Amino acid sequence: MMGDKYEKNCDMIKDTILEVQKQFKEALAKVQEALALEEIKNTFLGRKGKVAGLFSMMGEVPAEEKKDLGQLLNKLKIELQSDFDAKVSEFTSSTSKKEWVDYTLPGYSMPKGSRHPLTQAVDDMLSIFQRLGFDIAYGPEVETDWFNFESLNFPPNHPARDMQDTFYTEGGGILRTHTSPVQTRYMSKHEPPVRIVAPGRVFRNEAISARSYCLFHQIEGLYIDTDITFADLKGTIELFCRMYYGKDVKIKFRTSYFPFTEPSAEIDVSCFLCGGKGCRVCKNTGWLEIMGCGMVDPNVMKAVNYDPEKYTGYAFGLGVERMVMMRLGINDIRTLFENDVEFLKQF
Ligand code: DAH
């Protein structure tokens, strides 16, 4: 009788081992959060858990069965523990990747970009000229001698053609030394009336210093039609200056010389910083030189097959860097080309 009971006990323990193993695996598979792991640990592996309960039944097992059963139980305990540990580490590593966020950290800043001061100035000026009825035209930076000089009435030995001032490309092209070639390029493709402004980069082989750089920007203007006079030029430039510098600005035309205009003038505006009283920016003269201009020379008209008896026109060319430097109080032209963000941020 006793033997029977023992045998039943042994079979029951073996069944229970399988049952506990099954329950444990099911419970572990369902775990979604760390707290639930704690419960499983208590239920199965704790001091009063199911595995411990099985061990305590060993007392009722006959000596000859103890070894086998003991091994089975140990195997169970080791297996459950290692499954459990695996689950714990799976859990902690995945939650650390997914959920570990420090909400107290400051956010990422998204610095706002801005247009370069030269681009801003060009855009502002172009939009004024557009409101005055000018179209925008562009020309190439690598020019031919004909467009850059010849068509603009430069005499063959004019000093501006000198190797010192002009960059030549290997193929015999030249880097345009001003935006004036856009005038004759445009005229050679369009019949009058012509009313354009042409912004762009120009290049000069000069010693680089705080005041001059090997490249800078100009805006060219050209208006050709029948009966255009110097008064039209004056009116347009005055209007432009008032729109750009403010209505109180004073304007002065000084006679000058350019091969492609006759008569020619240079334009000064009253210093916007001191209002004409004299300061560091205007070198105590009260005036700032801003552009060259004049009536288009008949020889330029002839170069593009316009009839100089029928058409007249004016042209002007302004330097953008000088204007921007005066406006923003920049005293070294090179800073406008270095693209140092710390410098540009100021504007
Ligand atoms: N091209 C001249 C320069 O670079 C500027 C200039 C003067 C342009 C008079 C003009 C003009 O159109 O009429 O110095």
Side-chain angles (χ1 to χ4, degrees), residues 8-9 43 96 106 117 162 190 194 204 226 241 263 266 287 307:
K8 268 196 193 141
N9 258 341
T43 313
S96 67
D162 200 305
H190 298 83
V194 160
R204 287 194 200 166
T226 51
C241 289
E266 275 169 304
W287 296 96
D307 180 357

Side-chain angles (χ1 to χ4, degrees), residues 51-216:
V51 175
L54 279 167
F55 272 105
S56 68
M57 289 163 102
M58 288 291 282
E60 288 160 58
V61 171
E64 64 271 23
E65 297 275 2
K66 264 200 167 110
K67 197 178 159 213
D68 278 358
L69 257 185
Q71 277 177 353
L72 268 181
L73 264 179
N74 273 328
K75 228 181 101 198
L76 175 75
K77 188 183 169 188
I78 291 167
E79 188 190 328
L80 299 200
Q81 187 65 52
S82 93
D83 281 3
F84 182 81
D85 292 345
K87 190 77 184 179
V88 168
S89 69
E90 181 188 302
F91 220 88
T92 47
S93 63
S94 68
T95 49
S96 67
K97 268 186 220 130
K98 271 193 219 145
E99 286 174 19
W100 198 87
V101 174
D102 184 349
Y103 294 103
T104 65
L105 282 177
Y108 294 109
S109 69
M110 296 284 201
K112 235 201 303 173
S114 63
R115 284 177 303 159
H116 192 281
L118 287 175
T119 314
Q120 282 178 41
V122 170
D123 288 353
D124 291 350
M125 292 180 200
L126 290 183
S127 92
I128 291 175
F129 283 118
Q130 279 181 300
R131 275 189 276 164
L132 297 178
F134 286 79
D135 281 338
I136 297 175
Y138 298 92
E141 292 179 342
V142 178
E143 264 298 1
T144 60
D145 184 86
W146 196 81
F147 278 118
N148 196 81
F149 294 127
E150 194 98 26
S151 68
L152 294 166
N153 196 35
F154 278 82
N157 296 316
H158 194 281
R161 294 184 182 221
D162 200 305
M163 296 286 282
Q164 300 244 308
D165 287 322
T166 309
F167 286 114
Y168 290 84
T169 66
E170 275 175 9
I174 64 176
L175 298 191
R176 65 180 178 192
T177 56
H178 51 176
T179 44
S180 301
V182 186
Q183 290 185 29
T184 39
R185 271 194 181 270
Y186 194 88
M187 288 193 271
S188 59
K189 292 220 178 75
H190 298 83
E191 286 302 310
V194 160
R195 185 149 47 160
I196 54 154
V197 278
R201 299 197 295 182
V202 303
F203 307 83
R204 287 194 200 166
N205 195 358
E206 284 171 357
I208 290 170
S209 70
R211 291 181 63 82
S212 68
Y213 198 61
C214 51
L215 85 98
F216 52 97

Side-chain angles (χ1 to χ4, degrees), residues 152 154 177-181 183 202 204 216 218-222 257-258 260-261 263-266 291-296 314-319:
L152 294 166
F154 278 82
T177 56
H178 51 176
T179 44
S180 301
Q183 290 185 29
V202 303
R204 287 194 200 166
F216 52 97
Q218 290 186 332
I219 296 181
E220 193 77 16
L222 176 71
Y257 171 79
F258 299 103
F260 35 91
T261 44
S264 303
E266 275 169 304
M291 66 172 92
C293 64
M295 300 306 291
V296 176
Y314 65 72
F316 57 85
L318 61 89

